[in-house]
Amino acid sequence: MQLSPAQAMELWHRVTVEALNQELPDLSARQIALLLHIYLAPPPHTVRGLSLDLNMSKPAVTRALDRLSALGYLKRQTDMADRRSILVKRTVAGAVFLRDFADLIKGQARRV
């Protein structure tokens, strides 16, 4: 399916409004990008690696991880091989959120 720029913007608008109507957590673009990267790219994920992969500062990654961790969408764990490094792990709650969000996108895409 090829979308025009106007259709793409309409789709994004519909998705964000529907997410708010369904009372899904209000995530920033940075938080969504980080969550999607963690679930789509093969692990392991570290704060340092996420910062490099997404061209974000480590403090920005850490703030986004704080919010996503508080929601239960991921968890952080000390890397036992390198105790200075923090591993970022997927959770069932995060997978369920993204599955529901993907279903919401598919439903709205049919309407565009």
PDB file of all heavy atoms in Angstrom, residues 20-59:
ATOM      1  N   LEU A  20      -5.232   7.522  22.338  1.00  0.00           N
ATOM      2  CA  LEU A  20      -5.692   8.316  23.474  1.00  0.00           C
ATOM      3  C   LEU A  20      -7.103   7.911  23.889  1.00  0.00           C
ATOM      4  O   LEU A  20      -7.411   7.831  25.081  1.00  0.00           O
ATOM      5  CB  LEU A  20      -5.649   9.809  23.127  1.00  0.00           C
ATOM      6  CG  LEU A  20      -4.255  10.397  22.928  1.00  0.00           C
ATOM      7  CD1 LEU A  20      -4.350  11.830  22.425  1.00  0.00           C
ATOM      8  CD2 LEU A  20      -3.452  10.323  24.207  1.00  0.00           C
ATOM      9  N   ASN A  21      -7.962   7.651  22.911  1.00  0.00           N
ATOM     10  CA  ASN A  21      -9.338   7.243  23.215  1.00  0.00           C
ATOM     11  C   ASN A  21      -9.387   5.895  23.923  1.00  0.00           C
ATOM     12  O   ASN A  21     -10.279   5.649  24.731  1.00  0.00           O
ATOM     13  CB  ASN A  21     -10.193   7.195  21.952  1.00  0.00           C
ATOM     14  CG  ASN A  21     -10.485   8.583  21.408  1.00  0.00           C
ATOM     15  OD1 ASN A  21     -10.481   9.561  22.143  1.00  0.00           O
ATOM     16  ND2 ASN A  21     -10.719   8.669  20.111  1.00  0.00           N
ATOM     17  N   GLN A  22      -8.446   5.025  23.612  1.00  0.00           N
ATOM     18  CA  GLN A  22      -8.390   3.718  24.267  1.00  0.00           C
ATOM     19  C   GLN A  22      -7.623   3.794  25.589  1.00  0.00           C
ATOM     20  O   GLN A  22      -7.404   2.779  26.236  1.00  0.00           O
ATOM     21  CB  GLN A  22      -7.741   2.680  23.347  1.00  0.00           C
ATOM     22  CG  GLN A  22      -8.593   2.301  22.175  1.00  0.00           C
ATOM     23  CD  GLN A  22      -7.979   1.172  21.370  1.00  0.00           C
ATOM     24  OE1 GLN A  22      -7.091   0.458  21.812  1.00  0.00           O
ATOM     25  NE2 GLN A  22      -8.473   1.012  20.159  1.00  0.00           N
ATOM     26  N   GLU A  23      -7.203   5.004  25.941  1.00  0.00           N
ATOM     27  CA  GLU A  23      -6.473   5.250  27.181  1.00  0.00           C
ATOM     28  C   GLU A  23      -5.171   4.458  27.272  1.00  0.00           C
ATOM     29  O   GLU A  23      -4.769   3.989  28.330  1.00  0.00           O
ATOM     30  CB  GLU A  23      -7.368   5.006  28.397  1.00  0.00           C
ATOM     31  CG  GLU A  23      -8.547   5.950  28.415  1.00  0.00           C
ATOM     32  CD  GLU A  23      -9.393   5.837  29.673  1.00  0.00           C
ATOM     33  OE1 GLU A  23      -8.929   5.268  30.673  1.00  0.00           O
ATOM     34  OE2 GLU A  23     -10.515   6.331  29.628  1.00  0.00           O
ATOM     35  N   LEU A  24      -4.518   4.299  26.100  1.00  0.00           N
ATOM     36  CA  LEU A  24      -3.174   3.722  26.106  1.00  0.00           C
ATOM     37  C   LEU A  24      -2.226   4.754  26.704  1.00  0.00           C
ATOM     38  O   LEU A  24      -2.495   5.956  26.645  1.00  0.00           O
ATOM     39  CB  LEU A  24      -2.745   3.359  24.685  1.00  0.00           C
ATOM     40  CG  LEU A  24      -3.536   2.243  24.005  1.00  0.00           C
ATOM     41  CD1 LEU A  24      -3.050   2.056  22.569  1.00  0.00           C
ATOM     42  CD2 LEU A  24      -3.432   0.957  24.780  1.00  0.00           C
ATOM     43  N   PRO A  25      -1.120   4.326  27.276  1.00  0.00           N
ATOM     44  CA  PRO A  25      -0.179   5.295  27.844  1.00  0.00           C
ATOM     45  C   PRO A  25       0.267   6.312  26.797  1.00  0.00           C
ATOM     46  O   PRO A  25       0.464   5.983  25.630  1.00  0.00           O
ATOM     47  CB  PRO A  25       1.002   4.426  28.285  1.00  0.00           C
ATOM     48  CG  PRO A  25       0.430   3.079  28.474  1.00  0.00           C
ATOM     49  CD  PRO A  25      -0.678   2.954  27.457  1.00  0.00           C
ATOM     50  N   ASP A  26       0.384   7.550  27.220  1.00  0.00           N
ATOM     51  CA  ASP A  26       0.791   8.645  26.348  1.00  0.00           C
ATOM     52  C   ASP A  26       2.315   8.645  26.267  1.00  0.00           C
ATOM     53  O   ASP A  26       2.992   9.232  27.091  1.00  0.00           O
ATOM     54  CB  ASP A  26       0.268   9.957  26.924  1.00  0.00           C
ATOM     55  CG  ASP A  26       0.431  11.122  25.983  1.00  0.00           C
ATOM     56  OD1 ASP A  26       0.771  10.904  24.802  1.00  0.00           O
ATOM     57  OD2 ASP A  26       0.224  12.261  26.426  1.00  0.00           O
ATOM     58  N   LEU A  27       2.849   7.937  25.259  1.00  0.00           N
ATOM     59  CA  LEU A  27       4.300   7.820  25.091  1.00  0.00           C
ATOM     60  C   LEU A  27       4.796   8.865  24.102  1.00  0.00           C
ATOM     61  O   LEU A  27       4.137   9.161  23.106  1.00  0.00           O
ATOM     62  CB  LEU A  27       4.657   6.421  24.586  1.00  0.00           C
ATOM     63  CG  LEU A  27       4.273   5.252  25.496  1.00  0.00           C
ATOM     64  CD1 LEU A  27       4.663   3.934  24.851  1.00  0.00           C
ATOM     65  CD2 LEU A  27       4.909   5.387  26.861  1.00  0.00           C
ATOM     66  N   SER A  28       5.986   9.372  24.368  1.00  0.00           N
ATOM     67  CA  SER A  28       6.610  10.326  23.450  1.00  0.00           C
ATOM     68  C   SER A  28       7.133   9.566  22.223  1.00  0.00           C
ATOM     69  O   SER A  28       7.278   8.342  22.237  1.00  0.00           O
ATOM     70  CB  SER A  28       7.771  11.046  24.141  1.00  0.00           C
ATOM     71  OG  SER A  28       8.845  10.140  24.368  1.00  0.00           O
ATOM     72  N   ALA A  29       7.453  10.323  21.189  1.00  0.00           N
ATOM     73  CA  ALA A  29       8.031   9.714  19.986  1.00  0.00           C
ATOM     74  C   ALA A  29       9.340   9.004  20.330  1.00  0.00           C
ATOM     75  O   ALA A  29       9.622   7.915  19.827  1.00  0.00           O
ATOM     76  CB  ALA A  29       8.263  10.783  18.917  1.00  0.00           C
ATOM     77  N   ARG A  30      10.136   9.604  21.208  1.00  0.00           N
ATOM     78  CA  ARG A  30      11.404   8.992  21.635  1.00  0.00           C
ATOM     79  C   ARG A  30      11.136   7.663  22.342  1.00  0.00           C
ATOM     80  O   ARG A  30      11.808   6.664  22.101  1.00  0.00           O
ATOM     81  CB  ARG A  30      12.149   9.948  22.559  1.00  0.00           C
ATOM     82  CG  ARG A  30      13.426   9.364  23.121  1.00  0.00           C
ATOM     83  CD  ARG A  30      14.205  10.378  23.926  1.00  0.00           C
ATOM     84  NE  ARG A  30      14.777  11.329  22.980  1.00  0.00           N
ATOM     85  CZ  ARG A  30      14.797  12.648  23.140  1.00  0.00           C
ATOM     86  NH1 ARG A  30      14.301  13.189  24.220  1.00  0.00           N
ATOM     87  NH2 ARG A  30      15.336  13.422  22.248  1.00  0.00           N
ATOM     88  N   GLN A  31      10.147   7.639  23.230  1.00  0.00           N
ATOM     89  CA  GLN A  31       9.833   6.411  23.960  1.00  0.00           C
ATOM     90  C   GLN A  31       9.326   5.314  23.024  1.00  0.00           C
ATOM     91  O   GLN A  31       9.734   4.159  23.138  1.00  0.00           O
ATOM     92  CB  GLN A  31       8.799   6.699  25.056  1.00  0.00           C
ATOM     93  CG  GLN A  31       9.351   7.555  26.169  1.00  0.00           C
ATOM     94  CD  GLN A  31       8.275   8.197  27.020  1.00  0.00           C
ATOM     95  OE1 GLN A  31       7.095   8.207  26.683  1.00  0.00           O
ATOM     96  NE2 GLN A  31       8.695   8.773  28.148  1.00  0.00           N
ATOM     97  N   ILE A  32       8.467   5.675  22.081  1.00  0.00           N
ATOM     98  CA  ILE A  32       7.960   4.699  21.104  1.00  0.00           C
ATOM     99  C   ILE A  32       9.107   4.171  20.250  1.00  0.00           C
ATOM    100  O   ILE A  32       9.220   2.965  20.012  1.00  0.00           O
ATOM    101  CB  ILE A  32       6.870   5.327  20.197  1.00  0.00           C
ATOM    102  CG1 ILE A  32       5.572   5.500  20.969  1.00  0.00           C
ATOM    103  CG2 ILE A  32       6.626   4.492  18.954  1.00  0.00           C
ATOM    104  CD1 ILE A  32       4.748   4.251  21.126  1.00  0.00           C
ATOM    105  N   ALA A  33       9.972   5.062  19.767  1.00  0.00           N
ATOM    106  CA  ALA A  33      11.099   4.637  18.922  1.00  0.00           C
ATOM    107  C   ALA A  33      12.005   3.678  19.679  1.00  0.00           C
ATOM    108  O   ALA A  33      12.439   2.650  19.136  1.00  0.00           O
ATOM    109  CB  ALA A  33      11.886   5.853  18.440  1.00  0.00           C
ATOM    110  N   LEU A  34      12.270   3.987  20.928  1.00  0.00           N
ATOM    111  CA  LEU A  34      13.126   3.137  21.750  1.00  0.00           C
ATOM    112  C   LEU A  34      12.476   1.776  21.995  1.00  0.00           C
ATOM    113  O   LEU A  34      13.109   0.728  21.820  1.00  0.00           O
ATOM    114  CB  LEU A  34      13.414   3.843  23.075  1.00  0.00           C
ATOM    115  CG  LEU A  34      14.410   3.206  24.005  1.00  0.00           C
ATOM    116  CD1 LEU A  34      15.780   3.111  23.356  1.00  0.00           C
ATOM    117  CD2 LEU A  34      14.507   4.001  25.287  1.00  0.00           C
ATOM    118  N   LEU A  35      11.200   1.781  22.353  1.00  0.00           N
ATOM    119  CA  LEU A  35      10.491   0.525  22.600  1.00  0.00           C
ATOM    120  C   LEU A  35      10.453  -0.342  21.339  1.00  0.00           C
ATOM    121  O   LEU A  35      10.739  -1.549  21.393  1.00  0.00           O
ATOM    122  CB  LEU A  35       9.075   0.818  23.098  1.00  0.00           C
ATOM    123  CG  LEU A  35       8.248  -0.374  23.544  1.00  0.00           C
ATOM    124  CD1 LEU A  35       8.876  -1.075  24.745  1.00  0.00           C
ATOM    125  CD2 LEU A  35       6.834   0.068  23.879  1.00  0.00           C
ATOM    126  N   LEU A  36      10.131   0.262  20.211  1.00  0.00           N
ATOM    127  CA  LEU A  36      10.098  -0.496  18.954  1.00  0.00           C
ATOM    128  C   LEU A  36      11.473  -1.069  18.627  1.00  0.00           C
ATOM    129  O   LEU A  36      11.587  -2.226  18.209  1.00  0.00           O
ATOM    130  CB  LEU A  36       9.610   0.390  17.809  1.00  0.00           C
ATOM    131  CG  LEU A  36       8.121   0.687  17.801  1.00  0.00           C
ATOM    132  CD1 LEU A  36       7.802   1.794  16.798  1.00  0.00           C
ATOM    133  CD2 LEU A  36       7.324  -0.560  17.496  1.00  0.00           C
ATOM    134  N   HIS A  37      12.511  -0.284  18.819  1.00  0.00           N
ATOM    135  CA  HIS A  37      13.871  -0.769  18.526  1.00  0.00           C
ATOM    136  C   HIS A  37      14.208  -1.987  19.389  1.00  0.00           C
ATOM    137  O   HIS A  37      14.756  -2.972  18.894  1.00  0.00           O
ATOM    138  CB  HIS A  37      14.892   0.342  18.736  1.00  0.00           C
ATOM    139  CG  HIS A  37      16.276  -0.048  18.344  1.00  0.00           C
ATOM    140  ND1 HIS A  37      16.689  -0.077  17.026  1.00  0.00           N
ATOM    141  CD2 HIS A  37      17.332  -0.461  19.078  1.00  0.00           C
ATOM    142  CE1 HIS A  37      17.941  -0.484  16.982  1.00  0.00           C
ATOM    143  NE2 HIS A  37      18.359  -0.728  18.218  1.00  0.00           N
ATOM    144  N   ILE A  38      13.872  -1.920  20.656  1.00  0.00           N
ATOM    145  CA  ILE A  38      14.174  -3.018  21.571  1.00  0.00           C
ATOM    146  C   ILE A  38      13.439  -4.293  21.166  1.00  0.00           C
ATOM    147  O   ILE A  38      13.979  -5.391  21.266  1.00  0.00           O
ATOM    148  CB  ILE A  38      13.854  -2.612  23.022  1.00  0.00           C
ATOM    149  CG1 ILE A  38      14.861  -1.546  23.483  1.00  0.00           C
ATOM    150  CG2 ILE A  38      13.852  -3.816  23.959  1.00  0.00           C
ATOM    151  CD1 ILE A  38      14.457  -0.806  24.742  1.00  0.00           C
ATOM    152  N   TYR A  39      12.227  -4.152  20.662  1.00  0.00           N
ATOM    153  CA  TYR A  39      11.444  -5.329  20.280  1.00  0.00           C
ATOM    154  C   TYR A  39      11.722  -5.796  18.848  1.00  0.00           C
ATOM    155  O   TYR A  39      11.501  -6.960  18.539  1.00  0.00           O
ATOM    156  CB  TYR A  39       9.947  -5.077  20.492  1.00  0.00           C
ATOM    157  CG  TYR A  39       9.567  -5.278  21.938  1.00  0.00           C
ATOM    158  CD1 TYR A  39       9.788  -4.284  22.875  1.00  0.00           C
ATOM    159  CD2 TYR A  39       9.037  -6.482  22.383  1.00  0.00           C
ATOM    160  CE1 TYR A  39       9.476  -4.468  24.205  1.00  0.00           C
ATOM    161  CE2 TYR A  39       8.721  -6.681  23.709  1.00  0.00           C
ATOM    162  CZ  TYR A  39       8.942  -5.666  24.620  1.00  0.00           C
ATOM    163  OH  TYR A  39       8.642  -5.872  25.941  1.00  0.00           O
ATOM    164  N   LEU A  40      12.200  -4.909  17.982  1.00  0.00           N
ATOM    165  CA  LEU A  40      12.424  -5.298  16.582  1.00  0.00           C
ATOM    166  C   LEU A  40      13.864  -5.705  16.288  1.00  0.00           C
ATOM    167  O   LEU A  40      14.101  -6.541  15.420  1.00  0.00           O
ATOM    168  CB  LEU A  40      12.016  -4.146  15.651  1.00  0.00           C
ATOM    169  CG  LEU A  40      10.526  -3.801  15.654  1.00  0.00           C
ATOM    170  CD1 LEU A  40      10.273  -2.557  14.813  1.00  0.00           C
ATOM    171  CD2 LEU A  40       9.684  -4.968  15.174  1.00  0.00           C
ATOM    172  N   ALA A  41      14.814  -5.108  16.971  1.00  0.00           N
ATOM    173  CA  ALA A  41      16.227  -5.439  16.739  1.00  0.00           C
ATOM    174  C   ALA A  41      16.631  -6.580  17.670  1.00  0.00           C
ATOM    175  O   ALA A  41      16.167  -6.650  18.808  1.00  0.00           O
ATOM    176  CB  ALA A  41      17.101  -4.215  16.996  1.00  0.00           C
ATOM    177  N   PRO A  42      17.475  -7.469  17.188  1.00  0.00           N
ATOM    178  CA  PRO A  42      17.870  -8.605  18.037  1.00  0.00           C
ATOM    179  C   PRO A  42      18.661  -8.145  19.266  1.00  0.00           C
ATOM    180  O   PRO A  42      19.454  -7.210  19.172  1.00  0.00           O
ATOM    181  CB  PRO A  42      18.727  -9.472  17.121  1.00  0.00           C
ATOM    182  CG  PRO A  42      19.040  -8.650  15.922  1.00  0.00           C
ATOM    183  CD  PRO A  42      18.094  -7.499  15.874  1.00  0.00           C
ATOM    184  N   PRO A  43      18.403  -8.790  20.422  1.00  0.00           N
ATOM    185  CA  PRO A  43      19.161  -8.458  21.631  1.00  0.00           C
ATOM    186  C   PRO A  43      20.583  -9.003  21.524  1.00  0.00           C
ATOM    187  O   PRO A  43      20.851  -9.766  20.602  1.00  0.00           O
ATOM    188  CB  PRO A  43      18.370  -9.160  22.746  1.00  0.00           C
ATOM    189  CG  PRO A  43      17.527 -10.190  22.073  1.00  0.00           C
ATOM    190  CD  PRO A  43      17.387  -9.797  20.629  1.00  0.00           C
ATOM    191  N   PRO A  44      21.465  -8.639  22.411  1.00  0.00           N
ATOM    192  CA  PRO A  44      21.219  -7.871  23.636  1.00  0.00           C
ATOM    193  C   PRO A  44      21.184  -6.372  23.372  1.00  0.00           C
ATOM    194  O   PRO A  44      21.733  -5.883  22.380  1.00  0.00           O
ATOM    195  CB  PRO A  44      22.412  -8.236  24.519  1.00  0.00           C
ATOM    196  CG  PRO A  44      23.518  -8.501  23.546  1.00  0.00           C
ATOM    197  CD  PRO A  44      22.860  -9.108  22.334  1.00  0.00           C
ATOM    198  N   HIS A  45      20.528  -5.656  24.276  1.00  0.00           N
ATOM    199  CA  HIS A  45      20.453  -4.199  24.211  1.00  0.00           C
ATOM    200  C   HIS A  45      21.061  -3.622  25.480  1.00  0.00           C
ATOM    201  O   HIS A  45      20.763  -4.084  26.573  1.00  0.00           O
ATOM    202  CB  HIS A  45      18.997  -3.734  24.095  1.00  0.00           C
ATOM    203  CG  HIS A  45      18.304  -4.281  22.895  1.00  0.00           C
ATOM    204  ND1 HIS A  45      18.588  -3.849  21.617  1.00  0.00           N
ATOM    205  CD2 HIS A  45      17.364  -5.238  22.769  1.00  0.00           C
ATOM    206  CE1 HIS A  45      17.830  -4.514  20.759  1.00  0.00           C
ATOM    207  NE2 HIS A  45      17.092  -5.367  21.438  1.00  0.00           N
ATOM    208  N   THR A  46      21.893  -2.626  25.301  1.00  0.00           N
ATOM    209  CA  THR A  46      22.469  -1.903  26.430  1.00  0.00           C
ATOM    210  C   THR A  46      22.144  -0.425  26.263  1.00  0.00           C
ATOM    211  O   THR A  46      21.817   0.024  25.147  1.00  0.00           O
ATOM    212  CB  THR A  46      24.003  -2.065  26.488  1.00  0.00           C
ATOM    213  OG1 THR A  46      24.564  -1.500  25.292  1.00  0.00           O
ATOM    214  CG2 THR A  46      24.409  -3.529  26.623  1.00  0.00           C
ATOM    215  N   VAL A  47      22.237   0.323  27.345  1.00  0.00           N
ATOM    216  CA  VAL A  47      22.005   1.764  27.258  1.00  0.00           C
ATOM    217  C   VAL A  47      22.987   2.380  26.264  1.00  0.00           C
ATOM    218  O   VAL A  47      22.592   3.156  25.395  1.00  0.00           O
ATOM    219  CB  VAL A  47      22.122   2.416  28.654  1.00  0.00           C
ATOM    220  CG1 VAL A  47      22.058   3.936  28.542  1.00  0.00           C
ATOM    221  CG2 VAL A  47      21.031   1.897  29.581  1.00  0.00           C
ATOM    222  N   ARG A  48      24.240   2.005  26.357  1.00  0.00           N
ATOM    223  CA  ARG A  48      25.269   2.523  25.441  1.00  0.00           C
ATOM    224  C   ARG A  48      24.921   2.173  23.991  1.00  0.00           C
ATOM    225  O   ARG A  48      24.986   3.023  23.098  1.00  0.00           O
ATOM    226  CB  ARG A  48      26.633   1.954  25.806  1.00  0.00           C
ATOM    227  CG  ARG A  48      27.769   2.479  24.962  1.00  0.00           C
ATOM    228  CD  ARG A  48      29.124   1.900  25.372  1.00  0.00           C
ATOM    229  NE  ARG A  48      29.408   2.128  26.781  1.00  0.00           N
ATOM    230  CZ  ARG A  48      29.602   1.149  27.682  1.00  0.00           C
ATOM    231  NH1 ARG A  48      29.576  -0.114  27.330  1.00  0.00           N
ATOM    232  NH2 ARG A  48      29.853   1.446  28.929  1.00  0.00           N
ATOM    233  N   GLY A  49      24.544   0.918  23.747  1.00  0.00           N
ATOM    234  CA  GLY A  49      24.203   0.482  22.398  1.00  0.00           C
ATOM    235  C   GLY A  49      22.968   1.174  21.852  1.00  0.00           C
ATOM    236  O   GLY A  49      22.927   1.575  20.684  1.00  0.00           O
ATOM    237  N   LEU A  50      21.955   1.335  22.691  1.00  0.00           N
ATOM    238  CA  LEU A  50      20.734   2.032  22.261  1.00  0.00           C
ATOM    239  C   LEU A  50      21.041   3.482  21.924  1.00  0.00           C
ATOM    240  O   LEU A  50      20.530   4.018  20.940  1.00  0.00           O
ATOM    241  CB  LEU A  50      19.665   1.945  23.348  1.00  0.00           C
ATOM    242  CG  LEU A  50      19.095   0.552  23.589  1.00  0.00           C
ATOM    243  CD1 LEU A  50      18.302   0.511  24.899  1.00  0.00           C
ATOM    244  CD2 LEU A  50      18.235   0.104  22.423  1.00  0.00           C
ATOM    245  N   SER A  51      21.891   4.101  22.723  1.00  0.00           N
ATOM    246  CA  SER A  51      22.283   5.482  22.472  1.00  0.00           C
ATOM    247  C   SER A  51      22.951   5.611  21.094  1.00  0.00           C
ATOM    248  O   SER A  51      22.621   6.512  20.322  1.00  0.00           O
ATOM    249  CB  SER A  51      23.234   5.939  23.580  1.00  0.00           C
ATOM    250  OG  SER A  51      23.713   7.234  23.329  1.00  0.00           O
ATOM    251  N   LEU A  52      23.847   4.687  20.791  1.00  0.00           N
ATOM    252  CA  LEU A  52      24.526   4.715  19.488  1.00  0.00           C
ATOM    253  C   LEU A  52      23.565   4.381  18.344  1.00  0.00           C
ATOM    254  O   LEU A  52      23.547   5.067  17.319  1.00  0.00           O
ATOM    255  CB  LEU A  52      25.697   3.735  19.494  1.00  0.00           C
ATOM    256  CG  LEU A  52      26.875   4.105  20.382  1.00  0.00           C
ATOM    257  CD1 LEU A  52      27.870   2.946  20.470  1.00  0.00           C
ATOM    258  CD2 LEU A  52      27.553   5.368  19.871  1.00  0.00           C
ATOM    259  N   ASP A  53      22.772   3.314  18.509  1.00  0.00           N
ATOM    260  CA  ASP A  53      21.862   2.871  17.444  1.00  0.00           C
ATOM    261  C   ASP A  53      20.842   3.939  17.065  1.00  0.00           C
ATOM    262  O   ASP A  53      20.485   4.081  15.896  1.00  0.00           O
ATOM    263  CB  ASP A  53      21.097   1.613  17.863  1.00  0.00           C
ATOM    264  CG  ASP A  53      21.973   0.376  17.943  1.00  0.00           C
ATOM    265  OD1 ASP A  53      23.121   0.407  17.441  1.00  0.00           O
ATOM    266  OD2 ASP A  53      21.514  -0.630  18.526  1.00  0.00           O
ATOM    267  N   LEU A  54      20.349   4.664  18.061  1.00  0.00           N
ATOM    268  CA  LEU A  54      19.267   5.623  17.830  1.00  0.00           C
ATOM    269  C   LEU A  54      19.744   7.070  17.793  1.00  0.00           C
ATOM    270  O   LEU A  54      18.928   7.990  17.682  1.00  0.00           O
ATOM    271  CB  LEU A  54      18.190   5.446  18.899  1.00  0.00           C
ATOM    272  CG  LEU A  54      17.537   4.058  18.895  1.00  0.00           C
ATOM    273  CD1 LEU A  54      16.665   3.877  20.121  1.00  0.00           C
ATOM    274  CD2 LEU A  54      16.764   3.836  17.622  1.00  0.00           C
ATOM    275  N   ASN A  55      21.073   7.261  17.907  1.00  0.00           N
ATOM    276  CA  ASN A  55      21.650   8.603  17.884  1.00  0.00           C
ATOM    277  C   ASN A  55      21.004   9.509  18.936  1.00  0.00           C
ATOM    278  O   ASN A  55      20.586  10.622  18.640  1.00  0.00           O
ATOM    279  CB  ASN A  55      21.536   9.221  16.481  1.00  0.00           C
ATOM    280  CG  ASN A  55      22.426  10.435  16.323  1.00  0.00           C
ATOM    281  OD1 ASN A  55      23.458  10.545  16.983  1.00  0.00           O
ATOM    282  ND2 ASN A  55      22.025  11.347  15.465  1.00  0.00           N
ATOM    283  N   MET A  56      20.876   8.964  20.156  1.00  0.00           N
ATOM    284  CA  MET A  56      20.331   9.700  21.291  1.00  0.00           C
ATOM    285  C   MET A  56      21.407   9.771  22.372  1.00  0.00           C
ATOM    286  O   MET A  56      22.228   8.867  22.483  1.00  0.00           O
ATOM    287  CB  MET A  56      19.155   8.952  21.920  1.00  0.00           C
ATOM    288  CG  MET A  56      17.867   9.007  21.208  1.00  0.00           C
ATOM    289  SD  MET A  56      16.613   8.311  22.328  1.00  0.00           S
ATOM    290  CE  MET A  56      15.715   7.284  21.238  1.00  0.00           C
ATOM    291  N   SER A  57      21.346  10.789  23.176  1.00  0.00           N
ATOM    292  CA  SER A  57      22.276  10.858  24.297  1.00  0.00           C
ATOM    293  C   SER A  57      21.922   9.775  25.320  1.00  0.00           C
ATOM    294  O   SER A  57      20.768   9.335  25.397  1.00  0.00           O
ATOM    295  CB  SER A  57      22.212  12.236  24.963  1.00  0.00           C
ATOM    296  OG  SER A  57      20.979  12.388  25.646  1.00  0.00           O
ATOM    297  N   LYS A  58      22.905   9.348  26.088  1.00  0.00           N
ATOM    298  CA  LYS A  58      22.635   8.342  27.129  1.00  0.00           C
ATOM    299  C   LYS A  58      21.620   8.843  28.158  1.00  0.00           C
ATOM    300  O   LYS A  58      20.741   8.087  28.552  1.00  0.00           O
ATOM    301  CB  LYS A  58      23.932   7.877  27.780  1.00  0.00           C
ATOM    302  CG  LYS A  58      24.705   6.909  26.902  1.00  0.00           C
ATOM    303  CD  LYS A  58      25.803   6.233  27.684  1.00  0.00           C
ATOM    304  CE  LYS A  58      27.114   6.846  27.325  1.00  0.00           C
ATOM    305  NZ  LYS A  58      28.251   6.251  28.002  1.00  0.00           N
ATOM    306  N   PRO A  59      21.687  10.110  28.568  1.00  0.00           N
ATOM    307  CA  PRO A  59      20.655  10.583  29.505  1.00  0.00           C
ATOM    308  C   PRO A  59      19.239  10.539  28.907  1.00  0.00           C
ATOM    309  O   PRO A  59      18.277  10.208  29.604  1.00  0.00           O
ATOM    310  CB  PRO A  59      21.074  12.025  29.813  1.00  0.00           C
ATOM    311  CG  PRO A  59      22.556  12.031  29.598  1.00  0.00           C
ATOM    312  CD  PRO A  59      22.777  11.086  28.443  1.00  0.00           C
TER     313      PRO A  59
END
